[in-house]
Amino acid sequence: MPIITVVGASGNVQVTVDGAQNSALYNQATDLSNQLSSVISTLDAQNLSAGDTTFSDSNKAGYGVITSAGSYRVAGNVDYLSIGSDANSQPGTALDGWVNVNAYGGTASSMTVLGGTNTGIAFRAGDQSGQFLAGSGDNLFEGNSLSTAGNWNIMTGNGDDTVNSGAGNNTISAGQGHNTIDLGSGMNYVHSDGQDTITATAGRQSVTLSGSSSTVQLSDNSLVVDANGSQQITVGGASTVTGGSLDYINFSGATGTVEGGQNSTISAAHGNLQTENTDSALINVSDNLTFIGGTGETTITAGHATIFGSNGLDIHVAASQQGFIDGSGANNLFVANDGNETLDGASSAFGFQAFGNNAGTTGTQTFIGGTASDTLVAGVGDATLEGGSGAANVFGFRNSVAGADYTIQDFGSAANNSVLLVDYDYTKASFQTDVLDKATHNGNNTTITLSDHSQITFVNVDTLNQNQFSGLK
């Protein structure tokens, strides 16, 4: 464990810092030590004994040096505190013992606390702002919860630290231990390297998780970025979570957004959710889900779903409500992109409007509708369409978009199923002559060929007639 030598009142102080000598925490501690050295000649420097010390409110800022375990109370014009072992009496050895510092009575607008002991430091802030760096041990930072609280930059080593941020706007960098961080009503930024418990019931919070297996419970308007995985994350309304892998993400408010993540479980039990670029997610939303650009095997349970797919998406959807657009009822919507994609909406109580990719090249796509009426529109590449056996379904093909091989699996399973032909130049007579009369049969299946070379196979359908097709002139 590196030791940083800090200039003291009548000698040097040894501050221990977890990690390697080129670590971020070590560099921050070195910078603070250099800052203190540059102003030492201007300070009222005192070696402190346990108990109360009041620095005079003169033009000379106070600097308190603590080299023994115990409880300390500092007041008055104190700008700096260093906490560690005495370099003369304990060379190369860390301070062993708990140091408790109450700085609530400090009158300076800013305070810098630089310390590191084997056991830890407990520090209580007052109205001042400042920097608190505790390089080792299990530490406690207690911020001021009143509206007069200042703003702090809080940095800790790899112990099991506790931070109660108070009401200010704070930046917190917690080490690799099992840390407990309670955020107050301000705007706080947290970088977590450990296995932490991070909570807030108010304020506006931004949390980055670099460690794994943390538990985060935040209020509305929060941002959580998981750079690792296996986190338990709960946030309030209008919050955004950037997922890692194997996360459990829960939204307790009316709206929320998830960006990225792999193999995560996502829930929004009280409102709407938007997901972007998730991979192999399990998603449960009480109301409306907007799913953008996800991939992998994904399962969705939602009130209503609007889905924009991407290559490799295999999505299973159970939608229980009808959506609304401009006050009118609307089916679930699926819009494919390039690549192989599967939509399975068989468990949905309401139908789907599904559209294959309309430009470029694409792989094979499969659309399976819900139990209500579906509109399944083929795209550029090969596709398999299945409407279900409930209400009548529409199977659509677009001239200049279609042109591949298509299979309708269950055209005969629901009464009044139909095919919509868009922008084809067929009259009823020419369609009969050029398409229906030239249909081919293979067992119980019938295949027709359109003018754009689309081949459509109707499984278990041995005859077709004009009344089953719309869009004819």
Side-chain angles (χ1 to χ4, degrees):
M1 183 184 302
I3 293 179
I4 293 175
T5 300
V6 181
V7 62
S10 58
N12 291 326
V13 181
Q14 299 171 130
V15 172
T16 55
V17 178
D18 290 330
Q21 288 196 354
N22 61 350
S23 69
L25 186 66
Y26 177 88
N27 291 334
Q28 288 166 332
T30 301
D31 289 344
L32 291 180
S33 176
N34 292 337
Q35 175 188 331
L36 184 55
S37 296
S38 69
V39 297
I40 185 64
S41 62
T42 67
L43 301 178
D44 175 16
Q46 300 182 32
N47 292 313
L48 304 186
S49 299
D52 294 353
T53 301
T54 299
F55 288 80
S56 66
D57 289 328
S58 65
N59 292 329
K60 209 169 189 181
Y63 170 32
V65 178
I66 298 173
T67 56
S68 298
S71 294
Y72 298 78
R73 184 188 300 269
V74 293
N77 188 28
V78 54
D79 281 21
Y80 293 92
L81 288 175
S82 64
I83 304 168
S85 61
D86 187 293
N88 292 326
S89 61
Q90 296 178 290
T93 303
L95 175 60
D96 191 12
W98 183 258
V99 176
N100 190 321
V101 179
N102 186 337
Y104 191 80
T107 58
S109 61
S110 178
M111 178 182 287
T112 296
V113 181
L114 174 58
T117 76
N118 279 344
T119 305
I121 300 167
F123 178 80
R124 183 187 180 192
D127 293 344
Q128 70 274 76
S129 297
Q131 300 183 82
F132 174 79
L133 189 150
S136 59
D138 300 333
N139 303 285
L140 167 64
F141 177 91
E142 188 73 39
N144 186 355
S145 60
L146 301 179
S147 60
T148 55
N151 307 319
W152 284 83
N153 184 10
I154 303 159
M155 299 157 280
T156 62
N158 295 335
D160 297 337
D161 302 307
T162 299
V163 176
N164 298 316
S165 72
N169 301 324
N170 306 290
T171 299
I172 301 164
S173 299
Q176 296 177 5
H178 292 77
N179 306 297
T180 301
I181 302 172
D182 184 51
L183 303 172
S185 57
M187 182 179 293
N188 298 290
Y189 299 87
V190 179
H191 186 103
S192 163
D193 286 323
Q195 297 77 53
D196 298 344
T197 299
I198 304 171
T199 57
T201 58
R204 193 178 183 98
Q205 319 301 343
S206 178
V207 175
T208 299
L209 304 171
S210 294
S212 64
S213 304
S214 288
T215 298
V216 179
Q217 291 185 302
L218 304 178
S219 53
D220 295 349
N221 300 301
S222 295
L223 170 65
V224 179
V225 177
D226 179 17
N228 197 314
S230 300
Q231 323 286 3
Q232 302 268 353
I233 300 170
T234 298
V235 290
S239 295
T240 298
V241 176
T242 299
S245 61
L246 299 171
D247 289 335
Y248 287 85
I249 302 170
N250 177 56
F251 289 83
S252 60
T255 61
T257 301
V258 175
E259 299 173 347
Q262 300 84 38
N263 297 297
S264 293
T265 299
I266 303 166
S267 65
H270 304 287
N272 304 324
L273 182 69
Q274 177 170 302
T275 66
E276 302 174 9
N277 301 315
T278 58
D279 181 9
S280 303
L282 177 63
I283 303 172
N284 193 319
V285 181
S286 65
D287 292 330
N288 298 319
L289 170 68
T290 301
F291 179 96
I292 301 173
T295 189
E297 185 170 358
T298 299
T299 300
I300 291 173
T301 302
H304 179 267
T306 299
I307 301 166
F308 298 90
S310 61
N311 186 25
L313 178 64
D314 180 4
I315 195 165
H316 307 266
V317 184
S320 59
Q321 302 172 13
Q322 188 175 37
F324 291 91
I325 298 177
D326 295 331
S328 300
N331 280 357
N332 301 289
L333 175 66
F334 180 88
V335 179
N337 208 324
D338 281 349
N340 299 323
E341 299 175 49
T342 297
L343 163 68
D344 182 356
S347 298
S348 294
F350 289 88
F352 266 91
Q353 291 179 322
F355 296 87
N357 188 37
N358 63 4
T361 59
T362 187
T364 300
Q365 299 184 344
T366 299
F367 299 158
I368 302 173
T371 58
S373 178
D374 302 298
T375 299
L376 308 180
V377 181
V380 173
D382 297 347
T384 299
L385 311 177
E386 183 175 331
S389 58
N393 305 294
V394 176
F395 302 90
F397 301 89
R398 297 165 287 178
N399 190 20
S400 77
V401 173
D405 294 336
Y406 307 102
T407 300
I408 301 177
Q409 290 280 23
D410 61 345
F411 190 72
S413 64
N416 299 318
N417 277 351
S418 65
V419 174
L420 172 64
L421 301 177
V422 179
D423 293 333
Y424 288 90
D425 193 25
Y426 288 117
T427 64
K428 290 185 178 181
S430 64
F431 186 74
Q432 180 68 47
T433 302
D434 297 337
V435 179
L436 294 182
D437 290 348
K438 295 180 179 180
T440 61
H441 303 275
N442 183 5
N444 292 328
N445 303 336
T446 299
T447 300
I448 62 173
T449 301
L450 302 180
S451 57
D452 60 358
H453 306 294
S454 296
Q455 289 193 324
I456 307 170
T457 297
F458 298 78
V459 176
N460 290 323
V461 174
D462 52 11
T463 60
L464 295 167
N465 62 72
Q466 289 183 15
N467 294 331
Q468 295 168 315
F469 294 83
S470 62
L472 305 178
K473 297 180 179 180

